[in-house]
């Protein structure tokens, strides 16, 4: 369809409707490196088409279709390496597979020297099938099934993170019946209110994860675990939540975890050798977010734990962390084709794309903010206030709530939403029987499908009639 075939829609109105926007960027063609994967650039010799990993997005759309998650492999590897290097050899970095897991990703992590955190039998199977050594896998979850626990112990996972009193007994029993002694950590809640969305805050006591430190419950859990032959208690685990920028929550958590280590030493004469501070480090979804670099985080966390241990006269335990979003989040964008454009006078322009809440539920679920850009060409048209919506039968099907896009946007244009590497494909659904998009890895001018697009045959195969 020609660009002039649709009304341009309201321009940047003098009085903006209610929303979260801070006004259009000076130049909508600019791609803020904070939110885009490292190899993303706009090619001004080719009408301003955006390229990633040396391939332009029009070629990617022709080859792989839209919508598609496009993942910059070099960026992923560099971020993984930056975390590994920042923490050095006296600490472990477990990539949180829930953010996004595929066999290619497992291989990259293995090659870059990271460990892996899994939280279901499916994630464990993916990790093992891609050759991650079992002793570099941590198994999480608040309700692991007997068969999941059995498979994990049989495979020889490096640690199981225990999350309840029942699980302490269950894991000990299964390990013993398999003739093994399973290394475990005990996940506690330290009572920190992390400043993030309620659904992704996990260290306050009123929630399903962990065993509360308050009231002596965590100490009792350790007491029981230490008595069981099937368990080797190697440490304490705390994860305070996700998309956190403020380090003070980690500081309080470290203080309280070390306090528990000290109590354990005093009561049992045992110094537990490990402490895991979880993941949760925030990334930039929009230009307003200012995430910390891995080396700053490593320095801060190591200093906090060392200081707390020194004052408690404890040997500093081996630290581990579990970043998911901070590694994979910024490495991918979702590429969509614009289908319809609906200007609503005095309000905003609704831009419908060929995906939506089935490939990115985060906006609907957490009020997440994203940015968006026209990527198939440059445009110097006036900015228009837009809402990028999907194709689902639900009015909450919003991908980007408030964004500025060029006023000459037209059906057939490609737009991209950056920073969708974490928790978008992994939380994707088949709502309305919309097919889940592929994940396409790009590197050195080549594109490779690492998770293929779902097909109608896939849907019908599950529907046994
Ligand atoms: N470790 C544990 C024990 C966790 O529960 C999580 C995340 C992580 C590490 C990794 O957190 P990250 O570094 O990726 O923030 N679906 C939500 C996020 C849920 C996170 C659950 N646990 C979202 O889309 O924001």
């Amino acid at each position: 369809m020609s660009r002039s075939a649709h009304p341009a829609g309201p321009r940047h109105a003098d009085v903006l409707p209610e929303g979260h926007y801070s006004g259009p960027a000076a130049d909508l063609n600019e791609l803020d490196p904070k939110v885009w994967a490292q190899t993303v650039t706009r090619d001004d010799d080719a009408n301003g088409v955006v390229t990633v990993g040396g391939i332009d997005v029009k070629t990617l759309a022709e080859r792989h279709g839209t919508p598609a998650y496009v993942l910059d492999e070099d960026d992923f590897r560099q971020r993984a390496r930056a975390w590994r290097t920042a923490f050095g050899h006296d600490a472990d970095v477990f990539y949180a597979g829930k953010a996004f897991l595929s066999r290619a990703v497992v291989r990259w992590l293995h090659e870059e020297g990271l460990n892996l955190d899994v939280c279901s039998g499916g994630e464990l199977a993916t990790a093992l099938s891609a050759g991650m050594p079992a002793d570099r896998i941590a198994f999480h979850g608040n309700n692991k099934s007997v068969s999941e626990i059995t498979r994990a112990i049989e495979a020889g996972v490096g640690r199981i993170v225990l999350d309840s009193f029942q699980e302490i007994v269950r894991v000990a029993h299964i390990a013993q019946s398999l003739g093994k002694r399973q290394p475990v950590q005990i996940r506690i809640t330290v009572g920190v209110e992390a400043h993030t969305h309620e659904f992704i805050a996990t260290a306050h006591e009123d929630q399903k994860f962990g065993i509360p430190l308050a009231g002596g419950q965590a100490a009792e859990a350790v007491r029981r675990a230490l008595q069981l032959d099937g368990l080797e208690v190697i440490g304490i685990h705390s994860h305070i939540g996700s998309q956190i920028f403020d380090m003070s929550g980690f500081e309080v958590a470290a203080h309280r975890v070390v306090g528990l280590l000290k109590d354990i030493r005093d009561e049992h004469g045992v110094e537990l050798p490990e402490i895991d501070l979880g993941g949760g480090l925030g990334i930039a979804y929009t230009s307003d977010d200012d995430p910390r670099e891995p080396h700053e985080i490593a320095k801060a966390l190591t200093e906090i734990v060392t200081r707390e241990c020194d004052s408690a006269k404890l040997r500093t335990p081996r630290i581990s962390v579990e970043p998911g979003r901070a590694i994979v989040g910024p490495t991918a964008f979702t590429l969509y084709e614009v289908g319809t454009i609906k200007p609503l006078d005095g309000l905003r322009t609704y831009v419908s794309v060929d995906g939506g809440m089935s490939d990115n539920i985060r906006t609907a679920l957490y009020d997440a903010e994203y940015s968006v850009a026209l990527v198939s060409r440059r445009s110097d048209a006036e900015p228009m206030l837009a809402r990028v919506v999907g194709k689902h039968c639900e009015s909450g099907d919003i991908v980007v709530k408030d964004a500025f896009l060029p006023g000459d946007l037209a059906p057939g244009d490609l737009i991209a939403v950056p920073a969708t590497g974490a928790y978008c494909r992994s939380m994707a659904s088949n709502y309305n029987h919309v097919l889940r998009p592929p994940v396409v890895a790009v590197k050195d001018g080549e594109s490779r499908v690492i998770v293929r697009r779902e097909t109608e045959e896939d849907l019908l195969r599950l529907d046994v009639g």
Side-chain angles (χ1 to χ4, degrees):
M1 195 181 293
S2 87
R3 206 159 294 151
S4 55
H6 79 100
R11 302 294 185 214
H12 176 200
D14 288 343
V15 181
L16 293 170
E18 240 178 85
H20 293 278
Y21 35 80
S22 46
D27 179 357
L28 291 185
N29 296 298
E30 258 171 43
L31 301 168
D32 184 347
K34 260 206 292 190
V35 297
W36 292 90
Q38 284 172 25
T39 68
V40 169
T41 52
R42 196 180 281 281
D43 185 351
D44 278 321
D45 293 336
N47 197 27
V49 69
V50 167
T51 68
V52 55
I55 314 185
D56 74 80
V57 292
K58 284 184 172 173
T59 305
L60 287 170
E62 272 158 29
R63 254 183 224 166
H64 305 289
T66 56
Y69 303 103
V70 181
L71 197 162
D72 180 343
E73 177 178 341
D74 281 338
D75 192 15
F76 184 99
R77 284 179 180 273
Q78 275 176 35
R79 286 178 202 273
R81 207 174 303 146
W83 276 86
R84 181 71 243 136
T85 313
F87 278 87
H89 292 292
D90 297 329
D92 296 301
V93 180
F94 286 76
Y95 168 78
K98 64 207 85 183
F100 172 64
L101 198 65
S102 79
R103 291 196 275 192
V105 158
V106 173
R107 281 192 287 270
W108 302 341
L109 292 164
H110 187 192
E111 285 164 16
E112 300 299 340
L114 274 75
N115 296 357
L116 182 62
D117 143 9
V118 300
C119 67
S120 71
E123 289 185 357
L124 178 64
T126 306
L128 293 174
S129 82
M132 180 59 87
D135 62 356
R136 284 173 48 193
I137 298 176
F139 190 33
H140 272 275
N142 65 304
N143 187 17
K144 308 166 190 79
S145 70
V146 168
S147 93
E148 286 174 325
I149 296 168
T150 307
R151 279 157 61 201
I153 297 177
E154 277 174 348
V157 298
R159 61 167 85 148
I160 295 182
V161 182
L162 302 176
D163 195 274
S164 65
F165 282 96
Q166 287 86 5
E167 205 170 71
I168 292 172
V169 179
R170 204 172 283 158
V171 171
H173 177 75
I174 297 171
Q176 218 174 356
S177 68
L178 293 171
K180 297 209 181 187
R181 189 149 187 261
Q182 177 60 45
V184 294
Q185 290 190 341
I186 297 176
R187 178 165 175 179
I188 66 166
T189 45
V190 292
V192 173
E193 295 284 339
H195 298 288
T196 187
H197 191 282
E198 179 196 347
F199 292 175
I200 52 177
T202 55
H204 54 295
E205 275 126 18
D206 187 2
Q207 48 113 2
K208 71 170 186 166
F209 290 111
I211 300 174
L213 191 59
Q217 289 198 56
E220 177 60 18
V222 173
R223 204 169 288 134
R224 292 193 197 173
L226 283 172
Q227 284 166 4
L228 295 168
D229 290 338
L231 305 181
E232 180 194 354
V233 183
I234 58 169
I236 301 296
H237 184 287
S238 155
H239 169 77
I240 60 172
S242 277
Q243 188 57 4
I244 295 166
F245 293 106
D246 179 0
M247 295 301 286
S248 63
F250 289 99
E251 184 145 357
V252 177
H255 173 74
R256 296 189 182 160
V257 171
V258 172
L260 178 62
L261 292 181
K262 179 172 173 295
D263 292 348
I264 294 168
R265 193 253 336 256
D266 294 346
E267 183 179 341
H268 307 282
V270 180
E271 291 200 27
L272 297 185
E274 292 184 15
I275 164 172
D276 190 308
L277 292 172
L281 285 313
I283 62 163
Y285 283 102
T286 72
S287 298
D288 294 337
D289 296 325
D290 283 309
R292 299 225 183 170
E293 294 294 325
H295 68 266
E296 294 175 272
I297 295 161
K299 186 165 178 283
L301 292 183
T302 311
E303 275 174 12
I304 297 166
V305 173
T306 309
R307 191 185 62 223
E308 293 292 330
C309 287
D310 285 351
S311 75
K313 300 202 166 38
L314 281 168
R315 265 195 309 277
T316 305
R318 188 173 177 86
I319 299 173
S320 50
V321 286
E322 298 170 337
R325 184 189 326 261
I327 293 177
V328 71
T331 68
F333 59 78
T334 314
L335 186 62
Y336 298 104
E337 184 179 299
V338 174
T340 63
I341 297 177
K342 202 178 279 182
L344 298 184
D345 273 349
L347 289 172
R348 68 189 87 240
T349 296
Y350 279 76
V351 174
S352 295
V353 293
D354 45 0
M357 66 194 300
S358 58
D359 59 68
N360 188 349
I361 190 67
R362 298 194 69 261
T363 308
L365 194 56
Y366 312 119
D367 264 334
E369 287 180 34
Y370 284 92
S371 60
V372 60
L374 169 62
V375 288
S376 46
R377 61 184 172 90
R378 74 174 282 127
S379 166
D380 295 313
E382 281 288 297
M384 68 175 178
L385 179 61
R387 177 160 289 175
V388 179
V389 295
K391 59 181 284 157
H392 296 276
C393 291
E394 175 157 335
S395 55
D397 174 23
I398 295 169
V399 180
V400 187
K401 201 165 176 194
D402 301 298
F404 287 90
L405 280 165
D408 64 350
L409 192 76
D413 277 334
L414 298 175
I415 62 175
V417 175
T420 57
Y423 302 107
C424 288
R425 179 59 178 78
S426 58
M427 294 174 81
S429 76
N430 288 123
Y431 182 43
N432 296 143
H433 284 200
V434 169
L435 305 167
R436 286 180 294 178
V439 182
V440 179
V442 292
K443 179 177 160 61
D444 300 333
E446 312 249 315
S447 66
R448 182 164 66 99
V449 174
I450 59 170
V451 179
R452 75 160 164 77
R453 184 183 302 284
E454 215 162 20
T455 62
E456 286 176 5
E457 290 71 50
D458 291 328
L459 290 184
L460 294 174
R461 200 170 300 141
L462 297 179
D463 181 341
V464 294

